[in-house]
Amino acid sequence: MKKTLDLWALKHLALCLDISEDELITVSENTKKYYFSWKKPKKDGTFREISDTAPRLKIIQKKLHQLLKKVVLSDAAHGGVPGRTNQSNADAHCGESFIYKLDFRSYFPSISHQRVFHLFRHELNCSNDVASLLTKLTTINGCVPQGSSTSMDIANLVCRNLDAWLIGLSKSFGLKYTRYVDDLTFSGKHIPERFKKKLKKIIKLKQWLYLNDSKESLNGKNQEQIVTGLNIKYKKPKITRAYKRSVKKEKHILSKLSANELNDTELENSKSSVKGKENYILHIEGAGTNG
């Protein structure tokens, strides 16, 4: 698997994507008209802006995704990586005495178009013109949008060097490290203060990344240990009791609603949502026992 894409010229890029050069240039110069956004509510009551793309740009981004996913990522990366999930991320920390978690603030908006250009130009060895065109095709309003086909690829690629540094730092302290998009997790028998100081210093050197201080946490064996939504106090990750209760409550409420309270489409969507959550529980719980 290649570590760089070697897209040295626009003609080569067009050939790789099976899209004409004129089409790539035309779309790249007018990307704003191919985006539409909507706000997704977060647990804290605020909203996250999600961006989607019109078919013309979506086709290009999906083909770019097929190229970008061939670039080697670190073993620490789990979110948006084929064969790795929140479950594999949590599994890496099962049975450890202490869990230390950090979170990046406004992660996708923090990945600027300058950072994306640097990725394509200097890390993936594209020519200057191709790097510029690819940056235009994968960013909007000066940053990486959340929700488009290539955004998760770029979110992982810009962290390759950071992952390498944090893997090395963690090993030097006898700790494990994984990253699920913007969630950083470290685990081991002890989390020294000296490790935390060195860790934050390394992250601070990555000037475009900022930690969300309110999300920092350190939990021992006698405390709740949740990693990417899963309970890791067992040999294998398990669904939390709180999540099971919420799904059970949602299913009960849905069963009590009358036909007048939801139209057919809303009812079908709600049932599908509950069924999806039940299948998720079965998938996780069926992957192992609590030991």
Side-chain angles (χ1 to χ4, degrees), residues 8 116-128 131:
W8 293 99
V116 176
F117 177 82
H118 184 276
L119 168 70
F120 287 123
R121 180 67 184 94
H122 301 289
E123 296 175 39
L124 299 182
N125 295 334
C126 298
S127 69
N128 191 74

Side-chain angles (χ1 to χ4, degrees), residues 250-269:
E250 188 176 345
K251 186 176 182 179
H252 176 72
I253 292 174
L254 186 61
S255 69
K256 297 296 183 180
L257 292 176
S258 67
N260 294 328
E261 292 176 279
L262 291 176
N263 61 43
D264 290 344
T265 300
E266 291 171 333
L267 183 61
E268 191 60 35
N269 288 342

Side-chain angles (χ1 to χ4, degrees), residues 99-102 184-186 191 196 199-200 216-218:
I99 305 296
Y100 180 53
K101 297 190 296 183
L102 295 170
L184 312 181
T185 305
F186 305 85
I191 310 291
K196 291 195 281 187
L199 167 64
K200 291 178 181 178
E216 181 179 1
S217 66
L218 176 63

Side-chain angles (χ1 to χ4, degrees), residues 28-215:
S28 71
E29 295 298 332
N30 299 277
T31 51
K32 282 192 175 183
K33 73 177 187 179
Y34 297 111
Y35 276 97
F36 57 93
S37 302
W38 53 282
K39 294 187 182 298
K40 181 179 180 180
K42 297 165 66 176
K43 291 181 180 179
D44 62 5
T46 60
F47 292 87
R48 176 182 289 111
E49 186 170 287
I50 305 297
S51 298
D52 205 350
T53 49
R56 198 172 179 186
L57 178 57
K58 187 183 290 289
I59 290 170
I60 295 174
Q61 287 185 341
K62 283 186 174 181
K63 291 193 175 187
L64 277 174
H65 164 69
Q66 295 303 313
L67 285 180
L68 293 174
K69 74 177 186 179
K70 295 178 182 178
V71 183
V72 175
L73 296 170
S74 81
D75 292 337
H78 287 262
V81 182
R84 303 182 206 171
T85 62
N86 70 313
Q87 184 181 358
S88 64
N89 182 74
D91 188 52
H93 303 282
C94 281
E96 294 295 341
S97 299
F98 286 90
I99 305 296
Y100 180 53
K101 297 190 296 183
L102 295 170
D103 179 275
F104 288 129
R105 184 174 76 243
S106 302
Y107 184 55
F108 285 90
S110 293
I111 308 175
S112 68
H113 67 279
Q114 292 98 331
R115 181 65 184 89
V116 176
F117 177 82
H118 184 276
L119 168 70
F120 287 123
R121 180 67 184 94
H122 301 289
E123 296 175 39
L124 299 182
N125 295 334
C126 298
S127 69
N128 191 74
D129 289 342
V130 167
S132 178
L133 182 139
L134 288 173
T135 300
K136 292 175 182 177
L137 290 171
T138 56
T139 62
I140 189 71
N141 296 326
C143 65
V144 172
Q146 186 164 354
S148 66
S149 302
T150 53
S151 293
M152 191 67 78
D153 301 310
I154 292 172
N156 279 321
L157 288 170
V158 297
C159 274
R160 286 196 304 171
N161 290 336
L162 177 64
D163 284 341
W165 291 335
L166 297 188
I167 287 172
L169 177 66
S170 298
K171 284 183 177 179
S172 71
F173 281 86
L175 304 174
K176 296 177 181 177
Y177 160 64
T178 62
R179 179 180 56 80
Y180 189 84
V181 193
D182 57 350
D183 293 326
L184 312 181
T185 305
F186 305 85
S187 64
K189 292 181 180 179
H190 179 55
I191 310 291
E193 283 299 318
R194 191 160 60 92
F195 166 77
K196 291 195 281 187
K197 287 180 180 179
K198 285 192 172 184
L199 167 64
K200 291 178 181 178
K201 185 176 181 180
I202 288 175
I203 293 174
K204 191 174 182 179
L205 290 173
K206 306 288 290 183
Q207 297 175 359
W208 53 277
L209 292 172
Y210 303 93
L211 289 172
N212 185 343
D213 294 334
S214 66
K215 294 289 187 71

